[in-house]
Amino acid sequence: MQLNNLFKRSKPEETEAKAPVTEQPAAEATKTCPRCQAELTTSELDAQNYVCSCGYHFRISARKRLMELVDEGSFWELDRDMLGGNPIDFVNYEAKKEKLRASSGENEGVICGTASIGGQKCAIFVMEPYFMMGSMGCVVGEKVTRLFEYATHNELPVVGYTVSGGARMQEGILSLMQMAKTSGAVKMHSDAGLLYIVVLTDPTTGGVTASYAMEADIILSEPGALIGFAGPRVIEQTIRKKLP
């Protein structure tokens, strides 16, 4: 589904069939923990849910997180085929997205759908760190908005996992507009008396922090996650000082 008209609102779509939450097995490799410098194999990381013995939380893909979280066979993906264009003709933007679709296996920076967790049905979104660091462009904003609208209509709680470098600069002001759109959908969900729980993962910054990441009834965070509006690099460039 091509997102041609950025302002056209329509009913959220369900995929024609259940989209299984599966992930291709990764080749055995070794990763170094940035905190304690321990060398961990892929199988060791998988057995430890990608948490080092020192407590450092490695980043994991959105689909793997879903696979570990929801009840088996319960996930039904919404708007899986939604694609965006290049609204401000940013140089090489389409080529970059195509490359990331191939490497991440995802069409965009967030996965949305319904599932059950411990037998409790909910709407759920998980942002993808390996697709432009989960940055929020028009498609990400639209998918999150439509998920909250779907949850409001069907009286479902929402569970969300954020990871984001903020608004996607390749889509200019249209990316920033997603902050207001998603916040409006969260407000309608809240006004309906429905629960919203969000888990912040590393990093959650920028326009996502300034909108739906900080609007939940319950806000949790992975230990050591970088949470803020501007990242350290941007702050240092602004104040011309090294941060502690």
Side-chain angles (χ1 to χ4, degrees):
M1 176 171 57
Q2 186 76 20
L3 192 62
N4 292 319
N5 187 339
L6 296 174
F7 305 103
K8 183 177 180 181
R9 308 296 297 122
S10 57
K11 183 179 178 181
E13 295 181 1
E14 290 192 357
T15 49
E16 292 182 359
K18 278 196 174 184
V21 185
T22 59
E23 187 171 271
Q24 294 297 322
E28 187 75 351
T30 302
K31 285 191 175 183
T32 303
C33 175
R35 180 183 292 174
C36 70
Q37 306 304 309
E39 295 289 329
L40 299 166
T41 65
T42 301
S43 57
E44 288 172 333
L45 282 169
D46 192 59
Q48 296 169 201
N49 294 317
Y50 279 71
V51 179
C52 180
S53 57
C54 74
Y56 178 79
H57 285 59
F58 285 84
R59 290 176 189 149
I60 61 176
S61 70
R63 208 160 288 272
K64 180 172 180 60
R65 191 181 292 278
L66 272 167
M67 184 171 63
E68 298 292 335
L69 180 67
V70 304
D71 297 343
E72 186 176 357
S74 69
F75 182 64
W76 186 291
E77 189 162 356
L78 300 172
D79 297 317
R80 177 182 177 86
D81 298 324
M82 184 180 289
L83 300 174
N86 188 0
I88 63 171
D89 295 324
F90 197 91
V91 177
N92 295 327
Y93 182 39
E94 286 291 355
K96 182 173 185 176
K97 288 194 294 182
E98 283 299 321
K99 184 177 179 180
L100 288 168
R101 287 183 187 119
S103 62
S104 70
E106 302 300 337
N107 286 332
E108 258 293 346
V110 68
I111 300 174
C112 298
T114 62
S116 61
I117 301 175
Q120 172 65 55
K121 188 173 182 181
C122 65
I124 186 169
F125 70 86
V126 183
M127 302 189 74
E128 174 57 73
Y130 299 115
F131 193 103
M132 299 187 77
M133 189 46 75
S135 57
M136 181 171 62
C138 294
V139 172
V140 170
E142 181 70 8
K143 289 181 72 171
V144 170
T145 298
R146 288 160 69 96
L147 180 74
F148 273 95
E149 291 175 344
Y150 184 93
T152 302
H153 178 75
N154 291 279
E155 299 183 340
L156 293 174
V158 173
V159 175
Y161 279 77
T162 62
V163 56
S164 182
R168 192 175 298 178
M169 68 175 188
Q170 290 87 347
E171 297 183 20
I173 190 67
L174 296 172
S175 179
L176 295 176
M177 291 168 68
Q178 306 309 306
M179 295 166 62
K181 185 169 73 176
T182 54
S183 294
V186 173
K187 180 66 162 58
M188 288 190 291
H189 184 262
S190 177
D191 288 346
L194 298 167
L195 177 66
Y196 171 31
I197 301 172
V198 70
V199 182
L200 313 178
T201 73
D202 181 57
T204 297
T205 62
V208 170
T209 300
S211 56
Y212 56 88
M214 293 294 174
E215 293 168 343
D217 301 294
I218 299 173
I219 302 175
L220 307 173
S221 175
E222 287 188 342
L226 174 66
I227 311 297
F229 181 64
R233 178 178 55 83
V234 175
I235 296 172
E236 288 175 357
Q237 289 176 348
T238 302
I239 66 174
R240 302 184 188 281
K241 291 183 179 179
K242 187 72 176 175
L243 294 178

